[in-house]
Amino acid sequence: MANVLVLYYSSYGHIETMAQAVAEGAREAGAKVDIRRVAELVPDDVARSSHFKLDQSAPIAKVDDLPNYDAIIVGVGTRYGRMASQMAHFLDQTGSLWAKGALNGKVGGAFSSTATQHGGQETTLFSIITNLLHLGMIPVGLPYSFQGQMKLDEVTGGSPYGATTITGGDGSRQPSENELAGARFQGRHIAEVATKLFG
């Protein structure tokens, strides 16, 4: 049984919903799954006035806990074509793990969101994957065996680099069933790969 961490940052709840779907998929593969979020850096009054979703139930992640997992799947929304600073701040604290090679050979994955179809989904996924590679991890994406990313009859996220969702400029669009199916598929796929390596 693989031990999987779904690590996320979500301002408005879209990535939180995707994280839950990723975790569902990993559990379907028989993995033990924890969902953790990174801490909010925005002052509370600013977060409230910006209508951030502040009632998220996942516990706050700790850098020192990362080596306890066989696979770490990182989800974060896009800010100007890159990952939000809250997740970057968390990952910037992993220097001691990098120095010890504590995550070498572990499985990693990425998922994200953007306001628009072309708002930087793939560049954000690559910004996550770059961190995973520097930490010595083995990135696993969303293969085209998930046929949902081939859809042309609806607007949908998803790429071979990871599951994604499109939120709309005002955040009103929630993850579609196809996007959630992609997140579940990726979670299951990563858990299966981790089980082959560590199970």
Side-chain angles (χ1 to χ4, degrees), residues 43-180:
D44 191 59
D45 60 329
V46 174
R48 289 185 189 288
S49 66
S50 300
H51 308 290
F52 281 18
K53 187 175 187 293
L54 300 175
D55 61 348
Q56 299 174 50
S57 61
I60 300 294
K62 297 177 183 173
V63 169
D64 291 344
D65 290 340
L66 298 184
N68 298 331
Y69 296 95
D70 303 313
I72 301 169
I73 311 170
V74 178
V76 59
T78 298
R79 299 292 185 272
Y80 304 109
R82 55 169 174 72
M83 76 173 85
S85 59
Q86 289 86 344
M87 182 62 74
H89 177 265
F90 181 85
L91 294 173
D92 283 350
Q93 298 175 65
T94 60
S96 64
L97 301 182
W98 169 82
K100 293 183 288 192
L103 302 181
N104 285 354
K106 293 181 183 287
V107 179
F111 61 100
S112 189
S113 66
T114 55
T116 63
Q117 291 182 75
H118 308 291
Q121 292 196 356
E122 292 184 351
T123 56
T124 301
L125 293 170
F126 275 118
S127 74
I128 299 167
I129 290 167
T130 299
N131 283 263
L132 302 179
L133 287 167
H134 275 265
L135 289 165
M137 299 178 73
I138 304 164
V140 174
L142 179 64
Y144 281 110
S145 48
F146 173 65
Q147 292 290 296
Q149 62 181 301
M150 306 291 285
K151 279 181 163 287
L152 296 175
D153 61 340
E154 66 179 75
V155 172
T156 190
S159 83
Y161 316 111
T164 62
T165 185
I166 301 163
T167 69
D170 61 359
S172 61
R173 183 183 184 273
Q174 296 303 308
S176 70
E177 184 45 49
N178 186 57
E179 292 166 338
L180 293 172

Side-chain angles (χ1 to χ4, degrees), residues 2 37-38 42 73 105 157 172:
R37 62 190 170 98
V38 303
V42 173
I73 311 170
S172 61

